Amino acid sequence: MTDTRIFLSPPDVSEVERKLLLEAFDSNWVAPVGPDLDAFEAQVAELVGVRHAVALASGTAALHLALVAAGVRRGDTVLVPSFTFAATANAVMYLGARPVFLDSTAASWNVDPDLVAQELRARASAGRLPRAVVAVDMYGQCADYEPLLDACDRYGVALIEDAAEALGASYRGRAAGSFGLAGVLSFNGNKIITTGGGGMLLTDDGRVATQARHLATQAREPVPHYEHRTVGYNYRLSNLLAAVGRGQVQRLSEMIAARKETAGFYRAALGDLPGLTFMPIADYGLPNWWLTCLLVDSQKTRDQLLARLARHNIEARPAWKPMHLQPVFRDCVMRGGEVSADLFRRGLCLPSGSALTEHDRERVVSALREG
Ligand SMILES: *Cc1c(COP(=O)(O)O)cnc(C)c1O
């Protein structure tokens, strides 16, 4: 095999980020505090259109603190889409609460808002409302927030937006990450922008931001000696990584444009193949085209395509394995499940990184068209 490996969604960093990183290094702000951290937070808050942004060590940490802000405690329930990455449900478990999993709609692969409304109605009449609902913007496409927020508002339940995959996407003109009590971003290496690892909590609520900042710095009271009234966490992002993030945000629109071009290329080059359907793009918003994913007519064919891509040194992945099918969550309640189970059986995610070249894309397409 002489061809270089094509990754699913590798980091795309440039001279811009390198320069900012070295400047931060030379400034000696080599700590989880500093001017780059402040600037990165301000930049993302402005971009998303929220009042406060708190940079954190990971998207998972941001989810954890968002759930704390929603008041989630031991013994509570939280509604969570089954079709997501495990971090969404893990954060609920950290608090000793239980996720109740809900199926997705085939129309967007996001949580089915009708199921959310049904579950809230049933739980309200049984006097067992969940403490929060988490919606996930899957593969860079927003969930359907109008009906979700309607349902949550009706029962006074907090909504948390897991926008880990969706920075730069929008829903009816409003940016991903701005919905509900708090939004969550991830800057993991495979996300739309990366700091090499990191995350952010976004909110319009000053108290939520202050609490998140406090808990993320070991809940240190603002006095010279070390005073603590609650158990905190060490969740702040490094100033060095924030410097990388500043450069990535500057390049976000060009990186989205590159991913969109790749999505268009795959659609044009594979659209005629029988048995392939691309993830539907709902007309309520604009995705950030994080990953191009499609459904293959059968699991057998999907697995053959995965194997063929692997033989060509191309990284592709099945769609997420739903949480209700994960051994770790086997005791949790699940509502529905056919849609997410089917996405897992037949879903295929293609290399979609913003630095993918024309040649790379052609290699992917010819591997898929072979035979
Ligand atoms: C990546 C991801 C997370 C976790 O983010 P980390 O920064 O890796 O902790 C959470 N939710 C979803 C949907 C993700 O894709």
Side-chain angles (χ1 to χ4, degrees), residues 268-323:
L270 300 167
D272 64 316
L273 287 184
L276 294 188
T277 34
F278 286 88
M279 180 179 93
I281 304 301
D283 59 11
Y284 54 57
L286 295 173
N288 69 1
W289 306 98
W290 177 52
L291 291 186
T292 293
C293 303
L294 38 82
L295 279 182
V296 182
D297 57 359
S298 72
Q299 180 171 19
K300 186 160 163 265
T301 318
R302 194 277 310 268
D303 290 343
Q304 283 166 352
L305 293 177
L306 273 172
R308 198 185 297 163
L309 290 164
R311 271 202 306 280
H312 285 84
N313 208 14
I314 296 167
E315 183 188 29
R317 289 285 170 96
W320 297 122
K321 179 171 183 177
M323 294 305 111

Side-chain angles (χ1 to χ4, degrees), residues 161-213:
E161 180 187 6
D162 181 348
E165 304 172 1
L167 178 63
S170 63
Y171 174 83
R172 303 200 189 283
R174 241 179 90 179
S178 70
F179 294 91
L181 178 68
V184 165
L185 300 177
S186 167
F187 311 124
N188 192 16
N190 61 354
K191 295 290 157 62
I192 191 98
I193 69 167
T194 185
T195 58
M200 206 173 264
L201 181 145
L202 304 172
T203 184
D204 279 329
D205 186 327
R207 283 166 313 177
V208 168
T210 303
Q211 182 194 38
R213 231 177 261 289

